[in-house]
Amino acid sequence: EFYYEDLVGLPVFNTDGENVGTVLALDNFGASDLIEIKTTSGKTFMLPFKDDYVPTVEGDKVIIQNYESLL
């Protein structure tokens, strides 16, 4: 278990183990929880914080998938 604020600053990897970036924030604007990620190239994007996109949160990293179309 974890608090959302514990995830801020953690590295983000895809399911192939490639470093995607860093967690900037977790927000909820009314519809669902969103995770905001800053990529290694400096872009930012948001993903729904659901198993379809964020299947794993480990103690020291976040794993994402199905995000490529959002970049």
Side-chain angles (χ1 to χ4, degrees):
E1 293 189 21
F2 52 86
Y3 293 106
Y4 281 177
E5 62 256 14
D6 295 339
L7 302 182
V8 175
L10 288 183
V12 178
F13 294 88
N14 65 20
T15 53
D16 294 331
E18 190 177 323
N19 187 342
V20 176
T22 306
V23 176
L24 285 182
L26 283 107
D27 297 301
N28 186 312
F29 299 108
S32 69
D33 295 328
L34 298 170
I35 185 168
E36 184 176 7
I37 298 166
K38 182 175 184 179
T39 67
T40 54
S41 66
K43 289 182 168 181
T44 61
F45 68 99
M46 293 182 146
L47 283 175
F49 195 67
K50 297 183 178 209
D51 289 340
D52 291 344
Y53 298 97
V54 185
T56 306
V57 174
E58 296 177 1
D60 60 346
K61 63 184 170 184
V62 176
I63 308 297
I64 63 172
Q65 63 186 12
N66 303 325
Y67 65 94
E68 294 85 358
S69 65
L70 300 171
L71 293 177

